[in-house]
Amino acid sequence: MAGGPGGDGAGVASQSLFWSVVMSAFAAFGGILFGYDTGTIGGIIAMKDWLQLFGTFDTSGENLGWYIPTPDQSLVVSILSAGTFFGALLAYPMGDFIGRKWGIIASCAVFSLGVGLQLDTRWATFVVGRVTIGALLAAIVLNATKGRQDHSSWRIPIAVQFVWAVILVAGMLFLPESPRYLLKKGKEEAGKSALGRLLTQPADSPEVETEFNEIMAALEDDRKLGSGSYIDCFRNTEGKNGLRTWTGILLQGWQQLTGINFIFYYGTTFFQSAGIKNGFIITIICDVVNTVTTIVGIQLIDRVGRRRLLLIGAAGMCICEFIVAIVGVTAGHIQADHSVNLPAQRVLIAFPLNIRAKAMSLAVASNWLWNFGIGYATPYLVNKSTTGVLGVKTADLGVKVFFIWGSTCAGCLIFTYFFVPETKGLSLEQIDLLYRESSVINSEKYRAKILADNETFVRHVKGAVHENLEYADEKAA
């Protein structure tokens, strides 16, 4: 078993392709936790038992029946993102102190605590609990339990999250610690062993040795710069720290502004308010489309390229969002096929090692900050205004909100063109080299040059040193 801070971090030895696939699957399983939790709340707030337990009965004569007032709806949906915002910022010190692997395991414990709190029947406890292929699984489970007339209708979908946390923890126990983290801590043998696991090669193989030398060279170069602070993340250095940090932060923001989480969070209630009898089924259809396009997008990443795929995704979503908005305001019907996934989270920025943990925490925190803002503001944008003692004035945009999402997708397109480089097929160290030696607009050409010349960070540094020595000899002569 792997040892974390006190062990060697190497995990269970394996040199097979099967285990490399298993490792990748477990490493990506955290997405299930996020996607499932995101997907459950949209259906739970539409369930009859949950509304009767936490909601308010309409006495204003507007025939709303049991409903959740707009402020409460905003709070219960968005509070998750407020908690994860601070969790993302804490991920840096935790990851550097106990390691990436054990940091994830510790996070699963916090996640499980939050799931347990959400099973309570008190509003305050439920809200506190929210501070901690998923969306599709959530939609299926919600559709299966929506007909129950007791607390189990919403407790079962929430409790299923325990299963995802257990699977992730079990899988992480078999995964190696991050090789870069181990080498940064001076554990070279453990780092080589972990590299061997990830490359499915013996620790003393040429492939592992090459990758080891690459990481060590980049690490040594970063050490010369000293331990990076949060201010260093935004400095205009040779490695373009500022550009890379702001790209990561804004990329996560634009991804949230595409409107996709509007469907995950409020899709079921929105479809029902639009006159669709079974909003749960429509939500499943949207989640199927999202899942399928995500799978296709992942397959295309290393074929089409990350930058180009982002441009295509932004353009596709922009067109679909405007179609939904136009059809909605003219024909008065909501179409269910607009959920085209924008795989922004698959773009690799690759921050310099001396600021990597801090910059990553800032980028992920940006994701949750925007997620919170959109989750909280959306009911005020979409819902109808209510009157009476608990009345709330809203924008009452309804389907016209998709004009906003379409415009932000156009913004995604512009941002991607000017700020997101093409990194297809490059290692983390080669991406660092690309940022140092090229511009975003010319990144495709320089990427091709790196691959054609088989240029690595080590060779580039040695070449630069050799050129400097020749120049010094010429001046001396």
mmCIF file with all atom_site columns, all heavy atoms in Angstrom, residues 308-333:
data_model
loop_
_atom_site.group_PDB
_atom_site.id
_atom_site.type_symbol
_atom_site.label_atom_id
_atom_site.label_alt_id
_atom_site.label_comp_id
_atom_site.label_asym_id
_atom_site.label_entity_id
_atom_site.label_seq_id
_atom_site.pdbx_PDB_ins_code
_atom_site.Cartn_x
_atom_site.Cartn_y
_atom_site.Cartn_z
_atom_site.occupancy
_atom_site.B_iso_or_equiv
_atom_site.pdbx_formal_charge
_atom_site.auth_seq_id
_atom_site.auth_comp_id
_atom_site.auth_asym_id
_atom_site.auth_atom_id
_atom_site.pdbx_PDB_model_num
ATOM 1   N N   . ARG A 1 308 ? -8.540  23.958 -30.364 1.00 0.00 ? 308 ARG A N   1
ATOM 2   C CA  . ARG A 1 308 ? -9.533  23.891 -31.437 1.00 0.00 ? 308 ARG A CA  1
ATOM 3   C C   . ARG A 1 308 ? -10.858 23.330 -30.934 1.00 0.00 ? 308 ARG A C   1
ATOM 4   O O   . ARG A 1 308 ? -11.933 23.802 -31.312 1.00 0.00 ? 308 ARG A O   1
ATOM 5   C CB  . ARG A 1 308 ? -8.999  23.022 -32.580 1.00 0.00 ? 308 ARG A CB  1
ATOM 6   C CG  . ARG A 1 308 ? -9.879  23.022 -33.824 1.00 0.00 ? 308 ARG A CG  1
ATOM 7   C CD  . ARG A 1 308 ? -9.238  22.215 -34.934 1.00 0.00 ? 308 ARG A CD  1
ATOM 8   N NE  . ARG A 1 308 ? -7.925  22.736 -35.280 1.00 0.00 ? 308 ARG A NE  1
ATOM 9   C CZ  . ARG A 1 308 ? -7.079  22.103 -36.097 1.00 0.00 ? 308 ARG A CZ  1
ATOM 10  N NH1 . ARG A 1 308 ? -7.397  20.926 -36.608 1.00 0.00 ? 308 ARG A NH1 1
ATOM 11  N NH2 . ARG A 1 308 ? -5.910  22.639 -36.371 1.00 0.00 ? 308 ARG A NH2 1
ATOM 12  N N   . LEU A 1 309 ? -10.786 22.332 -30.051 1.00 0.00 ? 309 LEU A N   1
ATOM 13  C CA  . LEU A 1 309 ? -12.007 21.733 -29.511 1.00 0.00 ? 309 LEU A CA  1
ATOM 14  C C   . LEU A 1 309 ? -12.772 22.740 -28.645 1.00 0.00 ? 309 LEU A C   1
ATOM 15  O O   . LEU A 1 309 ? -14.008 22.771 -28.657 1.00 0.00 ? 309 LEU A O   1
ATOM 16  C CB  . LEU A 1 309 ? -11.660 20.491 -28.684 1.00 0.00 ? 309 LEU A CB  1
ATOM 17  C CG  . LEU A 1 309 ? -12.805 19.519 -28.401 1.00 0.00 ? 309 LEU A CG  1
ATOM 18  C CD1 . LEU A 1 309 ? -13.401 18.981 -29.689 1.00 0.00 ? 309 LEU A CD1 1
ATOM 19  C CD2 . LEU A 1 309 ? -12.315 18.361 -27.539 1.00 0.00 ? 309 LEU A CD2 1
ATOM 20  N N   . LEU A 1 310 ? -12.039 23.559 -27.909 1.00 0.00 ? 310 LEU A N   1
ATOM 21  C CA  . LEU A 1 310 ? -12.684 24.609 -27.120 1.00 0.00 ? 310 LEU A CA  1
ATOM 22  C C   . LEU A 1 310 ? -13.393 25.617 -28.022 1.00 0.00 ? 310 LEU A C   1
ATOM 23  O O   . LEU A 1 310 ? -14.511 26.052 -27.730 1.00 0.00 ? 310 LEU A O   1
ATOM 24  C CB  . LEU A 1 310 ? -11.650 25.330 -26.265 1.00 0.00 ? 310 LEU A CB  1
ATOM 25  C CG  . LEU A 1 310 ? -11.511 24.896 -24.804 1.00 0.00 ? 310 LEU A CG  1
ATOM 26  C CD1 . LEU A 1 310 ? -10.477 25.761 -24.119 1.00 0.00 ? 310 LEU A CD1 1
ATOM 27  C CD2 . LEU A 1 310 ? -12.832 24.994 -24.079 1.00 0.00 ? 310 LEU A CD2 1
ATOM 28  N N   . LEU A 1 311 ? -12.739 25.994 -29.109 1.00 0.00 ? 311 LEU A N   1
ATOM 29  C CA  . LEU A 1 311 ? -13.347 26.938 -30.045 1.00 0.00 ? 311 LEU A CA  1
ATOM 30  C C   . LEU A 1 311 ? -14.613 26.355 -30.662 1.00 0.00 ? 311 LEU A C   1
ATOM 31  O O   . LEU A 1 311 ? -15.643 27.030 -30.771 1.00 0.00 ? 311 LEU A O   1
ATOM 32  C CB  . LEU A 1 311 ? -12.343 27.311 -31.142 1.00 0.00 ? 311 LEU A CB  1
ATOM 33  C CG  . LEU A 1 311 ? -11.123 28.137 -30.702 1.00 0.00 ? 311 LEU A CG  1
ATOM 34  C CD1 . LEU A 1 311 ? -10.104 28.239 -31.831 1.00 0.00 ? 311 LEU A CD1 1
ATOM 35  C CD2 . LEU A 1 311 ? -11.558 29.531 -30.258 1.00 0.00 ? 311 LEU A CD2 1
ATOM 36  N N   . ILE A 1 312 ? -14.556 25.080 -31.056 1.00 0.00 ? 312 ILE A N   1
ATOM 37  C CA  . ILE A 1 312 ? -15.725 24.418 -31.644 1.00 0.00 ? 312 ILE A CA  1
ATOM 38  C C   . ILE A 1 312 ? -16.844 24.300 -30.608 1.00 0.00 ? 312 ILE A C   1
ATOM 39  O O   . ILE A 1 312 ? -18.016 24.560 -30.901 1.00 0.00 ? 312 ILE A O   1
ATOM 40  C CB  . ILE A 1 312 ? -15.342 23.019 -32.173 1.00 0.00 ? 312 ILE A CB  1
ATOM 41  C CG1 . ILE A 1 312 ? -14.362 23.151 -33.343 1.00 0.00 ? 312 ILE A CG1 1
ATOM 42  C CG2 . ILE A 1 312 ? -16.582 22.235 -32.608 1.00 0.00 ? 312 ILE A CG2 1
ATOM 43  C CD1 . ILE A 1 312 ? -13.776 21.823 -33.798 1.00 0.00 ? 312 ILE A CD1 1
ATOM 44  N N   . GLY A 1 313 ? -16.463 23.914 -29.363 1.00 0.00 ? 313 GLY A N   1
ATOM 45  C CA  . GLY A 1 313 ? -17.461 23.772 -28.307 1.00 0.00 ? 313 GLY A CA  1
ATOM 46  C C   . GLY A 1 313 ? -18.141 25.086 -27.975 1.00 0.00 ? 313 GLY A C   1
ATOM 47  O O   . GLY A 1 313 ? -19.365 25.147 -27.805 1.00 0.00 ? 313 GLY A O   1
ATOM 48  N N   . ALA A 1 314 ? -17.359 26.167 -27.899 1.00 0.00 ? 314 ALA A N   1
ATOM 49  C CA  . ALA A 1 314 ? -17.933 27.480 -27.587 1.00 0.00 ? 314 ALA A CA  1
ATOM 50  C C   . ALA A 1 314 ? -18.877 27.935 -28.687 1.00 0.00 ? 314 ALA A C   1
ATOM 51  O O   . ALA A 1 314 ? -19.970 28.453 -28.415 1.00 0.00 ? 314 ALA A O   1
ATOM 52  C CB  . ALA A 1 314 ? -16.807 28.495 -27.377 1.00 0.00 ? 314 ALA A CB  1
ATOM 53  N N   . ALA A 1 315 ? -18.455 27.734 -29.953 1.00 0.00 ? 315 ALA A N   1
ATOM 54  C CA  . ALA A 1 315 ? -19.312 28.128 -31.080 1.00 0.00 ? 315 ALA A CA  1
ATOM 55  C C   . ALA A 1 315 ? -20.597 27.296 -31.105 1.00 0.00 ? 315 ALA A C   1
ATOM 56  O O   . ALA A 1 315 ? -21.695 27.832 -31.324 1.00 0.00 ? 315 ALA A O   1
ATOM 57  C CB  . ALA A 1 315 ? -18.546 27.954 -32.395 1.00 0.00 ? 315 ALA A CB  1
ATOM 58  N N   . GLY A 1 316 ? -20.465 25.987 -30.853 1.00 0.00 ? 316 GLY A N   1
ATOM 59  C CA  . GLY A 1 316 ? -21.637 25.108 -30.852 1.00 0.00 ? 316 GLY A CA  1
ATOM 60  C C   . GLY A 1 316 ? -22.631 25.476 -29.773 1.00 0.00 ? 316 GLY A C   1
ATOM 61  O O   . GLY A 1 316 ? -23.845 25.546 -30.012 1.00 0.00 ? 316 GLY A O   1
ATOM 62  N N   . MET A 1 317 ? -22.114 25.747 -28.568 1.00 0.00 ? 317 MET A N   1
ATOM 63  C CA  . MET A 1 317 ? -22.998 26.122 -27.474 1.00 0.00 ? 317 MET A CA  1
ATOM 64  C C   . MET A 1 317 ? -23.639 27.484 -27.710 1.00 0.00 ? 317 MET A C   1
ATOM 65  O O   . MET A 1 317 ? -24.810 27.697 -27.391 1.00 0.00 ? 317 MET A O   1
ATOM 66  C CB  . MET A 1 317 ? -22.238 26.132 -26.151 1.00 0.00 ? 317 MET A CB  1
ATOM 67  C CG  . MET A 1 317 ? -21.932 24.755 -25.605 1.00 0.00 ? 317 MET A CG  1
ATOM 68  S SD  . MET A 1 317 ? -21.476 24.776 -23.854 1.00 0.00 ? 317 MET A SD  1
ATOM 69  C CE  . MET A 1 317 ? -23.051 25.123 -23.086 1.00 0.00 ? 317 MET A CE  1
ATOM 70  N N   . CYS A 1 318 ? -22.885 28.400 -28.276 1.00 0.00 ? 318 CYS A N   1
ATOM 71  C CA  . CYS A 1 318 ? -23.413 29.736 -28.561 1.00 0.00 ? 318 CYS A CA  1
ATOM 72  C C   . CYS A 1 318 ? -24.620 29.639 -29.492 1.00 0.00 ? 318 CYS A C   1
ATOM 73  O O   . CYS A 1 318 ? -25.678 30.240 -29.239 1.00 0.00 ? 318 CYS A O   1
ATOM 74  C CB  . CYS A 1 318 ? -22.323 30.591 -29.204 1.00 0.00 ? 318 CYS A CB  1
ATOM 75  S SG  . CYS A 1 318 ? -22.839 32.276 -29.608 1.00 0.00 ? 318 CYS A SG  1
ATOM 76  N N   . ILE A 1 319 ? -24.480 28.843 -30.553 1.00 0.00 ? 319 ILE A N   1
ATOM 77  C CA  . ILE A 1 319 ? -25.575 28.671 -31.512 1.00 0.00 ? 319 ILE A CA  1
ATOM 78  C C   . ILE A 1 319 ? -26.790 28.023 -30.851 1.00 0.00 ? 319 ILE A C   1
ATOM 79  O O   . ILE A 1 319 ? -27.928 28.489 -30.994 1.00 0.00 ? 319 ILE A O   1
ATOM 80  C CB  . ILE A 1 319 ? -25.105 27.818 -32.712 1.00 0.00 ? 319 ILE A CB  1
ATOM 81  C CG1 . ILE A 1 319 ? -24.041 28.588 -33.514 1.00 0.00 ? 319 ILE A CG1 1
ATOM 82  C CG2 . ILE A 1 319 ? -26.285 27.448 -33.609 1.00 0.00 ? 319 ILE A CG2 1
ATOM 83  C CD1 . ILE A 1 319 ? -23.348 27.757 -34.569 1.00 0.00 ? 319 ILE A CD1 1
ATOM 84  N N   . CYS A 1 320 ? -26.542 26.954 -30.065 1.00 0.00 ? 320 CYS A N   1
ATOM 85  C CA  . CYS A 1 320 ? -27.647 26.236 -29.422 1.00 0.00 ? 320 CYS A CA  1
ATOM 86  C C   . CYS A 1 320 ? -28.367 27.082 -28.384 1.00 0.00 ? 320 CYS A C   1
ATOM 87  O O   . CYS A 1 320 ? -29.603 27.040 -28.276 1.00 0.00 ? 320 CYS A O   1
ATOM 88  C CB  . CYS A 1 320 ? -27.122 24.947 -28.770 1.00 0.00 ? 320 CYS A CB  1
ATOM 89  S SG  . CYS A 1 320 ? -26.596 23.693 -29.951 1.00 0.00 ? 320 CYS A SG  1
ATOM 90  N N   . GLU A 1 321 ? -27.600 27.861 -27.625 1.00 0.00 ? 321 GLU A N   1
ATOM 91  C CA  . GLU A 1 321 ? -28.222 28.711 -26.603 1.00 0.00 ? 321 GLU A CA  1
ATOM 92  C C   . GLU A 1 321 ? -29.149 29.743 -27.249 1.00 0.00 ? 321 GLU A C   1
ATOM 93  O O   . GLU A 1 321 ? -30.265 29.980 -26.762 1.00 0.00 ? 321 GLU A O   1
ATOM 94  C CB  . GLU A 1 321 ? -27.147 29.435 -25.781 1.00 0.00 ? 321 GLU A CB  1
ATOM 95  C CG  . GLU A 1 321 ? -26.095 28.547 -25.146 1.00 0.00 ? 321 GLU A CG  1
ATOM 96  C CD  . GLU A 1 321 ? -26.507 27.996 -23.795 1.00 0.00 ? 321 GLU A CD  1
ATOM 97  O OE1 . GLU A 1 321 ? -27.708 28.015 -23.496 1.00 0.00 ? 321 GLU A OE1 1
ATOM 98  O OE2 . GLU A 1 321 ? -25.620 27.558 -23.063 1.00 0.00 ? 321 GLU A OE2 1
ATOM 99  N N   . PHE A 1 322 ? -28.689 30.356 -28.341 1.00 0.00 ? 322 PHE A N   1
ATOM 100 C CA  . PHE A 1 322 ? -29.523 31.351 -29.010 1.00 0.00 ? 322 PHE A CA  1
ATOM 101 C C   . PHE A 1 322 ? -30.751 30.710 -29.662 1.00 0.00 ? 322 PHE A C   1
ATOM 102 O O   . PHE A 1 322 ? -31.826 31.324 -29.704 1.00 0.00 ? 322 PHE A O   1
ATOM 103 C CB  . PHE A 1 322 ? -28.702 32.114 -30.051 1.00 0.00 ? 322 PHE A CB  1
ATOM 104 C CG  . PHE A 1 322 ? -27.878 33.224 -29.473 1.00 0.00 ? 322 PHE A CG  1
ATOM 105 C CD1 . PHE A 1 322 ? -26.507 33.269 -29.661 1.00 0.00 ? 322 PHE A CD1 1
ATOM 106 C CD2 . PHE A 1 322 ? -28.472 34.236 -28.725 1.00 0.00 ? 322 PHE A CD2 1
ATOM 107 C CE1 . PHE A 1 322 ? -25.741 34.298 -29.114 1.00 0.00 ? 322 PHE A CE1 1
ATOM 108 C CE2 . PHE A 1 322 ? -27.722 35.269 -28.177 1.00 0.00 ? 322 PHE A CE2 1
ATOM 109 C CZ  . PHE A 1 322 ? -26.353 35.295 -28.373 1.00 0.00 ? 322 PHE A CZ  1
ATOM 110 N N   . ILE A 1 323 ? -30.596 29.480 -30.170 1.00 0.00 ? 323 ILE A N   1
ATOM 111 C CA  . ILE A 1 323 ? -31.746 28.776 -30.744 1.00 0.00 ? 323 ILE A CA  1
ATOM 112 C C   . ILE A 1 323 ? -32.815 28.545 -29.681 1.00 0.00 ? 323 ILE A C   1
ATOM 113 O O   . ILE A 1 323 ? -34.008 28.785 -29.895 1.00 0.00 ? 323 ILE A O   1
ATOM 114 C CB  . ILE A 1 323 ? -31.313 27.435 -31.368 1.00 0.00 ? 323 ILE A CB  1
ATOM 115 C CG1 . ILE A 1 323 ? -30.516 27.682 -32.652 1.00 0.00 ? 323 ILE A CG1 1
ATOM 116 C CG2 . ILE A 1 323 ? -32.540 26.554 -31.672 1.00 0.00 ? 323 ILE A CG2 1
ATOM 117 C CD1 . ILE A 1 323 ? -29.951 26.410 -33.273 1.00 0.00 ? 323 ILE A CD1 1
ATOM 118 N N   . VAL A 1 324 ? -32.374 28.069 -28.498 1.00 0.00 ? 324 VAL A N   1
ATOM 119 C CA  . VAL A 1 324 ? -33.318 27.837 -27.394 1.00 0.00 ? 324 VAL A CA  1
ATOM 120 C C   . VAL A 1 324 ? -34.029 29.135 -27.019 1.00 0.00 ? 324 VAL A C   1
ATOM 121 O O   . VAL A 1 324 ? -35.251 29.169 -26.827 1.00 0.00 ? 324 VAL A O   1
ATOM 122 C CB  . VAL A 1 324 ? -32.590 27.254 -26.163 1.00 0.00 ? 324 VAL A CB  1
ATOM 123 C CG1 . VAL A 1 324 ? -33.535 27.186 -24.965 1.00 0.00 ? 324 VAL A CG1 1
ATOM 124 C CG2 . VAL A 1 324 ? -32.059 25.860 -26.468 1.00 0.00 ? 324 VAL A CG2 1
ATOM 125 N N   . ALA A 1 325 ? -33.259 30.221 -26.917 1.00 0.00 ? 325 ALA A N   1
ATOM 126 C CA  . ALA A 1 325 ? -33.842 31.503 -26.523 1.00 0.00 ? 325 ALA A CA  1
ATOM 127 C C   . ALA A 1 325 ? -34.846 32.003 -27.566 1.00 0.00 ? 325 ALA A C   1
ATOM 128 O O   . ALA A 1 325 ? -35.953 32.431 -27.224 1.00 0.00 ? 325 ALA A O   1
ATOM 129 C CB  . ALA A 1 325 ? -32.731 32.534 -26.319 1.00 0.00 ? 325 ALA A CB  1
ATOM 130 N N   . ILE A 1 326 ? -34.458 31.931 -28.839 1.00 0.00 ? 326 ILE A N   1
ATOM 131 C CA  . ILE A 1 326 ? -35.324 32.443 -29.912 1.00 0.00 ? 326 ILE A CA  1
ATOM 132 C C   . ILE A 1 326 ? -36.600 31.620 -30.033 1.00 0.00 ? 326 ILE A C   1
ATOM 133 O O   . ILE A 1 326 ? -37.709 32.167 -30.123 1.00 0.00 ? 326 ILE A O   1
ATOM 134 C CB  . ILE A 1 326 ? -34.562 32.469 -31.252 1.00 0.00 ? 326 ILE A CB  1
ATOM 135 C CG1 . ILE A 1 326 ? -33.427 33.513 -31.189 1.00 0.00 ? 326 ILE A CG1 1
ATOM 136 C CG2 . ILE A 1 326 ? -35.501 32.792 -32.407 1.00 0.00 ? 326 ILE A CG2 1
ATOM 137 C CD1 . ILE A 1 326 ? -32.465 33.445 -32.352 1.00 0.00 ? 326 ILE A CD1 1
ATOM 138 N N   . VAL A 1 327 ? -36.440 30.289 -30.027 1.00 0.00 ? 327 VAL A N   1
ATOM 139 C CA  . VAL A 1 327 ? -37.618 29.418 -30.109 1.00 0.00 ? 327 VAL A CA  1
ATOM 140 C C   . VAL A 1 327 ? -38.509 29.621 -28.888 1.00 0.00 ? 327 VAL A C   1
ATOM 141 O O   . VAL A 1 327 ? -39.738 29.647 -28.978 1.00 0.00 ? 327 VAL A O   1
ATOM 142 C CB  . VAL A 1 327 ? -37.191 27.937 -30.224 1.00 0.00 ? 327 VAL A CB  1
ATOM 143 C CG1 . VAL A 1 327 ? -38.405 27.019 -30.096 1.00 0.00 ? 327 VAL A CG1 1
ATOM 144 C CG2 . VAL A 1 327 ? -36.488 27.689 -31.547 1.00 0.00 ? 327 VAL A CG2 1
ATOM 145 N N   . GLY A 1 328 ? -37.884 29.791 -27.712 1.00 0.00 ? 328 GLY A N   1
ATOM 146 C CA  . GLY A 1 328 ? -38.645 29.960 -26.481 1.00 0.00 ? 328 GLY A CA  1
ATOM 147 C C   . GLY A 1 328 ? -39.511 31.214 -26.474 1.00 0.00 ? 328 GLY A C   1
ATOM 148 O O   . GLY A 1 328 ? -40.642 31.190 -25.992 1.00 0.00 ? 328 GLY A O   1
ATOM 149 N N   . VAL A 1 329 ? -38.981 32.322 -27.004 1.00 0.00 ? 329 VAL A N   1
ATOM 150 C CA  . VAL A 1 329 ? -39.744 33.575 -26.964 1.00 0.00 ? 329 VAL A CA  1
ATOM 151 C C   . VAL A 1 329 ? -40.693 33.726 -28.143 1.00 0.00 ? 329 VAL A C   1
ATOM 152 O O   . VAL A 1 329 ? -41.592 34.574 -28.111 1.00 0.00 ? 329 VAL A O   1
ATOM 153 C CB  . VAL A 1 329 ? -38.796 34.801 -26.921 1.00 0.00 ? 329 VAL A CB  1
ATOM 154 C CG1 . VAL A 1 329 ? -37.944 34.768 -25.671 1.00 0.00 ? 329 VAL A CG1 1
ATOM 155 C CG2 . VAL A 1 329 ? -37.917 34.868 -28.168 1.00 0.00 ? 329 VAL A CG2 1
ATOM 156 N N   . THR A 1 330 ? -40.498 32.913 -29.199 1.00 0.00 ? 330 THR A N   1
ATOM 157 C CA  . THR A 1 330 ? -41.384 33.011 -30.364 1.00 0.00 ? 330 THR A CA  1
ATOM 158 C C   . THR A 1 330 ? -42.453 31.922 -30.364 1.00 0.00 ? 330 THR A C   1
ATOM 159 O O   . THR A 1 330 ? -43.642 32.203 -30.490 1.00 0.00 ? 330 THR A O   1
ATOM 160 C CB  . THR A 1 330 ? -40.575 32.929 -31.671 1.00 0.00 ? 330 THR A CB  1
ATOM 161 O OG1 . THR A 1 330 ? -39.786 31.720 -31.670 1.00 0.00 ? 330 THR A OG1 1
ATOM 162 C CG2 . THR A 1 330 ? -39.652 34.128 -31.808 1.00 0.00 ? 330 THR A CG2 1
ATOM 163 N N   . ALA A 1 331 ? -42.020 30.664 -30.199 1.00 0.00 ? 331 ALA A N   1
ATOM 164 C CA  . ALA A 1 331 ? -42.977 29.550 -30.216 1.00 0.00 ? 331 ALA A CA  1
ATOM 165 C C   . ALA A 1 331 ? -43.443 29.172 -28.826 1.00 0.00 ? 331 ALA A C   1
ATOM 166 O O   . ALA A 1 331 ? -44.452 28.485 -28.669 1.00 0.00 ? 331 ALA A O   1
ATOM 167 C CB  . ALA A 1 331 ? -42.348 28.336 -30.907 1.00 0.00 ? 331 ALA A CB  1
ATOM 168 N N   . GLY A 1 332 ? -42.696 29.593 -27.799 1.00 0.00 ? 332 GLY A N   1
ATOM 169 C CA  . GLY A 1 332 ? -43.116 29.332 -26.430 1.00 0.00 ? 332 GLY A CA  1
ATOM 170 C C   . GLY A 1 332 ? -42.850 27.940 -25.953 1.00 0.00 ? 332 GLY A C   1
ATOM 171 O O   . GLY A 1 332 ? -43.417 27.498 -24.963 1.00 0.00 ? 332 GLY A O   1
ATOM 172 N N   . HIS A 1 333 ? -41.951 27.201 -26.610 1.00 0.00 ? 333 HIS A N   1
ATOM 173 C CA  . HIS A 1 333 ? -41.648 25.828 -26.202 1.00 0.00 ? 333 HIS A CA  1
ATOM 174 C C   . HIS A 1 333 ? -40.166 25.703 -25.910 1.00 0.00 ? 333 HIS A C   1
ATOM 175 O O   . HIS A 1 333 ? -39.336 26.279 -26.608 1.00 0.00 ? 333 HIS A O   1
ATOM 176 C CB  . HIS A 1 333 ? -42.029 24.816 -27.286 1.00 0.00 ? 333 HIS A CB  1
ATOM 177 C CG  . HIS A 1 333 ? -43.497 24.815 -27.581 1.00 0.00 ? 333 HIS A CG  1
ATOM 178 N ND1 . HIS A 1 333 ? -44.445 24.418 -26.674 1.00 0.00 ? 333 HIS A ND1 1
ATOM 179 C CD2 . HIS A 1 333 ? -44.176 25.189 -28.701 1.00 0.00 ? 333 HIS A CD2 1
ATOM 180 C CE1 . HIS A 1 333 ? -45.656 24.526 -27.210 1.00 0.00 ? 333 HIS A CE1 1
ATOM 181 N NE2 . HIS A 1 333 ? -45.511 25.000 -28.440 1.00 0.00 ? 333 HIS A NE2 1
#
